[in-house]
Amino acid sequence: MVSATVGTGTALGAVVASLLAAPAQAVTPTGTNRAGVERVAVAAAAPDDAGLRAILRTARGQGAPGAMARIDDNGTVHSLVEGVDDRATGRTISTNDRFRVGSVTKTFSAVVLLQLVDEGKLKLDKSVNSYLPGLLPDNRITVRHVLSHRSGLYDYTNDMFARTVPGFEAVRNKVFSYRDLVKLSLKKPRTNAPGAAYSYSNTNFVVAGLLIEKLTGHAVGTEYQKRIFTPLNLTNTFYVHPRTAVPGRHAHGYLTPDTAGAALVDSTEQTASWAQSAGAIISTAHDLDAFFSALLRGKLVSAAQLTQMTKWTRVNSNTSYGLGLRRRDLSCGISVYGHTGTVQGYYTYAFTTKDGKRSLTALANTSNNTTVLNTMYRTLEPAFCGKPATRAAARTAAPDAAPLERHEDIAPAIVRD
């Protein structure tokens, strides 16, 4: 089943048609394309709903029970859905469904720590061990290294989920402490010297959770609620660890086994304790759109800390990483800012423009399916660059093609396909 709706707030109801027809905003992205050509300012074309719908339909055909996308275009909302949120009941997936956001949680954790920098309680270039004595084996690892995935700390999920379903079932109901997870990481050699290279690791944001709790004296969930959920009125966003259920109406998550043709595993209920501050938040498309829009508009951290958050390390030709924040450079010359999320049974893409005026959250309720992961990556182009003809016209200035997503946010060193 597929559906699409477009709606507006009451203040914009009289100008829906003009908003849909006109460019949303001009964005000046940074960096160069693979040819070394400076990326140029391009006006964002209206979202291509038909293109988005086709991508969601493709993801379903590739094994996702359901897929959906929600765009908030400066008050005009585009909602598109395909398939189901519950295979048992056949209920159609909804952009109002709650779901596990996976590593999108990392941006929330980074925001809390940057607020603590604003409050004078934390310094980005100070050693983690100065706040958490003896935690890490190298005093040179700073808070900045942790938040930018440049610490060299090994990602324990590579071992935990080397075999996807058995690994998941082994930890589905387990409760870890943060220090338990750090110890798992430290059993393996580090991937690089502090600051030497980008190497994505969930261990970094486990350390972030420890820092939050040490500096505030409160649980991570309490700080998320006080500093982000409540001020932004994110009423459908939760941190329930170690409880296993997703509250209210939600999309079930379906984990794809490593064995081709094996039945999907309903992975919805879990402690998510293996992830915690690296990946355990539950939210909705609306709330993620609101969160990233508020962040880029400067409503969560000071201008100085947003500048720190957007000091980029190049990951590949189209992707850079800041402090708990990704930047994607699109074919039309626009850059968007947000995070990807993988947790068992869910793939999430949540991004916004530099001015926060257009935001996209897209979800497929499966994981361990790299084909679907790459398909959902494609939602960014029609959401922010418009119809194919518009995108083609812009490629002379920004001819990059989107690279494949070869690694997931869980067990990033394990290549499944």
Side-chain angles (χ1 to χ4, degrees):
M1 181 177 294
V2 62
S3 67
T5 59
V6 178
T8 66
T10 54
L12 297 175
V15 292
V16 177
S18 62
L19 279 174
L20 289 175
Q25 67 275 329
V27 178
T28 305
T30 59
T32 60
N33 60 29
R34 282 183 292 182
V37 178
E38 187 71 23
R39 300 177 70 84
V40 298
V42 177
D48 175 12
D49 286 355
L52 264 176
R53 185 182 299 113
I55 291 168
L56 301 181
R57 187 178 297 121
T58 297
R60 188 182 182 197
Q62 293 167 337
M68 61 88 160
R70 182 189 190 276
I71 299 170
D72 188 318
D73 188 12
N74 202 25
T76 299
V77 175
H78 302 241
S79 297
L80 299 104
V81 303
E82 174 75 25
V84 301
D85 67 9
D86 186 341
R87 297 176 73 213
T89 66
R91 183 175 63 184
T92 301
I93 197 168
S94 168
T95 55
N96 295 320
D97 284 342
R98 296 167 180 170
F99 55 90
R100 297 187 181 278
V101 308
S103 288
V104 178
T105 302
K106 291 178 172 66
T107 311
F108 287 81
S109 297
V111 164
V112 174
L113 287 178
L114 289 169
Q115 289 180 352
L116 291 170
V117 174
D118 278 330
E119 294 164 14
K121 298 175 182 177
L122 180 69
K123 293 183 178 180
L124 290 173
D125 295 310
K126 196 169 180 179
S127 170
V128 169
N129 282 349
S130 66
Y131 300 104
L132 298 164
L135 177 72
L136 302 180
D138 193 329
N139 287 331
R140 296 175 299 166
I141 298 174
T142 67
V143 177
R144 187 186 300 276
H145 291 150
V146 164
L147 293 181
S148 60
H149 291 296
R150 295 184 301 123
S151 69
L153 294 170
Y154 178 79
D155 192 332
Y156 59 88
T157 67
N158 290 323
D159 301 307
M160 191 176 283
F161 302 120
R163 297 176 64 221
T164 300
V165 173
F168 168 65
E169 295 294 1
V171 301
R172 181 197 280 260
N173 295 304
K174 193 166 183 177
V175 177
F176 295 93
S177 73
Y178 283 122
R179 290 181 182 269
D180 289 337
L181 297 174
V182 173
K183 287 177 182 177
L184 290 175
S185 168
L186 296 182
K187 289 180 179 180
K188 292 296 183 72
R190 281 171 280 156
T191 57
N192 51 261
Y198 169 89
S199 182
Y200 190 94
S201 175
N202 286 284
T203 307
N204 289 311
F205 279 81
V206 169
V207 174
L210 274 168
L211 285 166
I212 290 168
E213 295 196 345
K214 177 65 179 292
L215 294 171
T216 66
H218 300 134
V220 162
T222 300
E223 293 301 310
Y224 290 153
Q225 188 70 51
K226 179 178 74 173
R227 294 170 175 274
I228 304 174
F229 301 170
T230 297
L232 295 183
N233 196 30
L234 305 183
T235 56
N236 289 297
T237 303
F238 307 92
Y239 185 81
V240 302
H241 172 268
R243 298 194 303 277
T244 59
V246 179
R249 172 170 173 151
H250 59 272
H252 285 239
Y254 295 96
L255 180 57
T256 307
D258 294 330
T259 303
L264 298 177
V265 175
D266 189 325
S267 52
T268 311
E269 293 202 356
Q270 59 168 298
T271 61
S273 193
W274 65 267
Q276 299 187 57
S277 52
I281 283 177
I282 295 164
S283 192
T284 62
H286 167 277
D287 281 9
L288 292 186
D289 283 353
F291 168 66
F292 281 108
S293 176
L295 175 59
L296 269 294
R297 290 176 189 240
K299 295 183 179 181
L300 288 171
V301 298
S302 68
Q305 298 319 315
L306 189 56
T307 296
Q308 295 299 317
M309 199 174 201
T310 54
K311 287 187 174 181
W312 306 109
T313 299
R314 177 67 72 176
V315 176
N316 60 39
S317 63
N318 292 63
T319 304
S320 299
Y321 204 92
L323 303 184
L325 191 69
R326 292 190 190 275
R327 189 189 82 208
R328 302 280 193 176
D329 301 330
L330 304 182
S331 68
C332 58
I334 288 173
S335 293
V336 292
Y337 308 82
H339 215 286
T340 54
T342 302
V343 66
Q344 291 89 356
Y346 304 90
Y347 284 140
T348 302
Y349 283 86
F351 286 84
T352 193
T353 49
K354 190 174 184 179
D355 58 8
K357 290 184 178 180
R358 183 182 297 180
S359 301
L360 163 76
T361 296
L363 170 78
N365 60 341
T366 195
S367 69
N368 196 39
N369 183 327
T370 305
T371 305
V372 170
L373 178 65
N374 280 298
T375 292
M376 295 304 291
Y377 183 7
R378 291 168 46 209
T379 58
L380 298 177
E381 290 282 333
F384 295 104
C385 293
K387 294 181 178 180
T390 305
R391 303 202 297 270
R395 285 192 187 109
T396 55
D400 293 342
L404 293 178
E405 299 274 33
R406 300 190 183 279
H407 304 281
E408 300 195 8
D409 294 336
I410 302 175
I414 307 297
V415 179
R416 306 289 180 183
D417 293 347

